[in-house]
């Protein structure tokens, strides 16, 4: 799933300079995934070089995607993000299927995955070894509570959101310093039987599969589209902010993974679901493990609370076009789309309980998400053909090669998912395709405009 921009970020992004733009790009990317996904990458590729290589390539994909969304957002400012890009560049059917997939796969699945990260670190904090069902149950309880809170209109304020961001940065800094300075490096023995018995084709497929969790952790570079219109001299500042922000995240992510591999080794990293806590436990003992587990759990709750309020704007845009349940555009007394938030939360809970395994939900989400990333990138070609170049429109550096590289990377990830995890991928694609007949049902209904949410 892609980690969305928060309402707070959108509110604060006024007259932004280079430093502000860079911080918002980094804040939109860095989430809970970097504390967990290193182990999922290590399960696919089995050497430090390939592990770090997967995170480096994932960073390049994120950088290309950030530039693509910067150009799209500079041309289309209407609320709705990818839904609006796909609707205007391609067809309302494509946009509807995206919104349908966002509700039933991408957003809800991503929330379920992050809820499991929260649960695993709560159990780590308590020193309890929990089953997958226990983690799913605790994660579902957190989702239910946060859904209720957001339905009654309670939003985290600026101070709270800043605290969550500071906690994440402090946790990363503590992990890197303690891991390098205090923990003993792991044995550098590499299992030659695993590498030697693998063909080039198998290694390529494994590397493609390793890009899946890396891409999930890098999710959020597309949040630049929410601040593009509020940056001073966007033609100069935004590209520089995107470049510095994404490069900064690449450095942070590579550093975190280097520390994890350095302390745990490739095999040890693949065997723990809480790699950050494992590193800290080796560096500072049980107190270190509990300390970082607490920071990760708290910051995860902050992300979940804020992310619940962003995707409903897409469902609102669909209902506003007469292409979705009218109730999803209904606002309660606090001007919050409570029905949309409640439905989204209920589906996330269902996914968490049914799937229960973090990596399974990860594959379920990313398989559909990258398809719509590629389609959104293709919108660049459509908009460029339709509209003449103007001075205030951001242009992708290296287009069309940058754009084609991003589309090709999305295709590689999709193929790897279908090849290695066919059942998860087919389930998510099946749900996505159910949106096609659903579109024609709603397309026949009369259109009714609604009042936008606050």
């Amino acid at each position: 799933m892609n980690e969305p921009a928060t309402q707070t970020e959108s509110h604060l992004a006024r007259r932004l300079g280079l430093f502000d733009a860079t911080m918002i790009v980094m804040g939109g990317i860095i989430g809970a995934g970097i504390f967990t996904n290193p182990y999922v990458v290590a399960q696919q590729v089995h050497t430090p070089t390939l592990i770090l290589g997967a995170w480096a390539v994932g960073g390049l994909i994120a950088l290309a995607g950030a530039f693509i969304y910067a150009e799209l957002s500079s041309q289309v400012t209407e609320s709705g993000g990818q839904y609006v890009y796909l609707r205007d560049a391609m067809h309302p059917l494509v946009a509807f299927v995206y919104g349908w997939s966002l509700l039933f796969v991408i957003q809800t699945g991503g929330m379920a995955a992050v809820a499991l990260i929260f649960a695993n670190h709560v159990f780590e904090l308590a020193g309890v070894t929990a089953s997958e069902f226990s983690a799913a149950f605790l994660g579902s309880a957190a989702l239910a509570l946060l859904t209720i809170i957001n339905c009654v209109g309670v939003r985290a304020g600026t101070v709270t959101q800043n605290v969550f961001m500071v906690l994440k940065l402090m946790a990363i800094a503590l992990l890197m310093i303690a891991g390098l300075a205090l923990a003993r490096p792991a044995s550098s023995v590499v299992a030659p039987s695993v590498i030697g018995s693998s063909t080039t084709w198998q290694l390529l497929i494994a590397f493609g599969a390793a890009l899946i969790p890396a891409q999930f952790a890098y999710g959020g570079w597309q949040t630049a589209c929410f601040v593009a219109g509020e940056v001073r001299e966007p033609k100069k500042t935004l590209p520089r902010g995107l470049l510095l922000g994404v490069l900064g995240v690449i450095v942070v992510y590579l550093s975190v993974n280097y520390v994890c591999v350095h302390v745990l080794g490739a095999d040890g990293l693949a065997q723990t679901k809480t790699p950050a806590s494992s590193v800290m436990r080796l560096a500072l003992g049980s107190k270190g493990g509990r300390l970082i587990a607490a920071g990760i759990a708290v910051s995860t709750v902050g992300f979940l609370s804020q992310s619940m309020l962003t995707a409903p704007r897409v469902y609102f845009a669909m209902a506003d076009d007469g292409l979705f349940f009218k109730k999803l555009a209904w606002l309660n007394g606090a001007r919050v789309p409570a029905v949309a938030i409640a439905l989204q939360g209920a589906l996330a809970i269902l996914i968490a309980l049914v799937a229960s395994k973090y990596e399974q939900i990860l594959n379920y989400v990313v398989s559909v998400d990258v398809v719509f990333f590629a389609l959104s990138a293709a919108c660049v070609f459509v908009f460029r053909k339709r509209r003449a170049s103007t001075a205030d429109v951001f242009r992708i550096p290296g287009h069309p090669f940058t754009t084609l590289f991003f589309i090709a990377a999305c295709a590689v990830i999709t193929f790897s998912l279908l090849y290695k995890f066919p059942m998860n991928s087919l389930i998510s694609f099946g749900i996505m395709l159910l949106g096609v007949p659903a579109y024609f049902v709603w397309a026949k209904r009369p259109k009714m405009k609604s009042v936008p949410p606050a």
Side-chain angles (χ1 to χ4, degrees):
M1 182 198 99
N2 314 306
E3 295 184 7
T6 65
Q7 299 297 318
T8 302
E9 289 171 345
S10 179
H11 175 69
L12 292 179
R14 295 175 180 173
R15 300 179 60 81
L16 297 172
L18 178 59
F19 176 79
D20 301 311
T22 302
M23 288 299 100
I24 285 185
V25 170
M26 294 185 70
I29 297 173
I30 298 175
I34 185 55
F35 298 108
T36 299
N37 288 8
Y39 95 86
V40 189
V41 173
Q43 287 180 339
Q44 301 302 325
V45 290
H46 308 285
T47 69
T49 300
L50 290 177
I51 291 171
L52 295 176
W55 286 95
V57 172
L60 291 177
I61 296 170
L63 183 60
F67 283 131
I68 289 167
Y69 275 72
E71 176 164 332
L72 290 172
S73 65
S74 69
Q75 298 183 73
V76 181
T77 58
E78 182 181 346
S79 179
Q82 282 176 265
Y83 172 79
V84 177
Y85 305 153
L86 294 169
R87 182 195 66 193
D88 293 352
M90 295 185 179
H91 191 277
L93 170 61
V94 181
F96 176 87
V97 174
Y98 164 70
W100 173 277
S101 301
L102 188 71
L103 177 60
F104 290 101
V105 179
I106 300 169
Q107 180 73 5
T108 50
M111 288 167 55
V114 173
L116 291 183
I117 294 177
F118 162 77
N120 285 329
H121 283 91
V122 168
F123 285 123
E124 180 78 14
L125 181 62
V128 176
T129 302
S131 65
E132 290 176 350
F133 178 77
S134 298
F137 183 80
L138 179 58
S140 298
L143 286 169
L145 179 60
L146 290 170
T147 297
I148 293 171
I149 291 173
N150 282 288
C151 280
V152 298
V154 178
R155 302 189 185 191
T158 303
V159 174
T160 303
Q161 186 61 28
N162 288 341
V163 167
F164 287 137
M165 188 60 203
V166 169
L167 283 172
K168 284 188 283 188
L169 293 175
M170 288 177 62
I172 290 172
L174 181 62
L175 173 67
M176 292 167 58
I177 294 171
L180 291 175
L182 302 176
R184 288 184 177 182
S187 172
S188 58
V189 176
V190 178
S193 59
V194 175
I195 304 300
S197 61
S198 300
T199 64
T200 302
W201 172 252
Q202 289 173 328
L203 287 174
L204 288 173
I205 291 296
F207 191 81
L211 289 176
I212 297 162
Q215 197 60 43
F216 184 89
Y218 275 111
W221 38 260
Q222 71 273 26
T223 59
C225 67
F226 295 111
V227 300
E230 301 172 69
V231 175
R232 288 198 303 265
E233 298 184 278
K235 190 174 180 181
K236 295 180 179 180
T237 304
L238 184 57
R240 293 172 183 172
L242 283 164
L243 179 62
L244 292 173
V246 175
L247 288 176
V249 172
I250 293 172
V251 171
V252 170
Y253 280 13
L254 287 175
S255 299
V256 169
N257 279 275
Y258 174 80
V259 170
C260 289
V261 172
H262 175 75
V263 176
L264 302 174
D267 290 338
L269 179 57
Q271 294 170 11
T272 176
K273 292 186 177 181
T274 54
S277 296
S278 297
V279 170
M280 290 297 295
R281 200 162 45 244
L282 289 173
L284 297 173
S286 58
K287 290 183 179 179
R290 289 195 295 270
L291 178 63
I292 197 166
I296 296 169
V298 171
S299 64
T300 301
V301 170
F303 165 74
L304 279 173
S305 180
Q306 289 296 322
S307 67
M308 284 184 176
L309 290 171
T310 55
R313 290 183 176 273
V314 176
Y315 317 142
F316 182 94
M318 295 171 67
D320 196 39
D321 286 340
L323 293 176
F324 222 11
F325 299 108
K326 293 180 182 178
K327 282 290 185 181
L328 296 183
W330 176 78
L331 305 179
N332 63 12
R335 292 188 56 76
V336 171
V339 175
I341 294 172
L343 176 60
Q344 179 180 257
L347 290 172
I349 291 170
L350 179 63
I351 293 171
L353 291 173
V354 171
S356 73
K357 291 183 68 174
Y358 174 76
E359 52 268 34
Q360 183 179 353
I361 297 175
L362 200 67
N363 300 331
Y364 170 78
V365 172
V366 177
S367 56
V368 169
D369 202 14
V370 294
V371 169
F372 288 104
F373 277 146
L375 288 173
S376 297
C379 293
V380 172
F381 294 96
V382 178
F383 285 140
R384 285 202 176 197
K385 185 176 180 180
R386 288 181 185 173
R387 302 169 183 176
S389 177
T390 58
D392 60 343
V393 172
F394 172 76
R395 291 292 182 176
I396 301 168
H399 178 84
F401 303 106
T402 306
T403 309
L404 292 174
F405 162 74
F406 180 76
I407 293 174
C410 291
V412 168
I413 294 173
T414 302
F415 177 79
S416 297
L417 276 162
L418 286 168
Y419 187 86
K420 293 211 68 172
F421 310 102
M423 184 57 66
N424 289 343
S425 301
L426 289 175
I427 290 173
S428 56
F429 279 122
I431 294 173
M432 177 186 75
L433 292 175
L434 284 175
V436 176
Y439 166 78
F440 291 104
V441 172
W442 270 292
K444 295 179 181 179
R445 297 184 178 185
K447 189 175 180 181
M448 188 177 80
K449 288 290 180 182
S450 308
V451 180

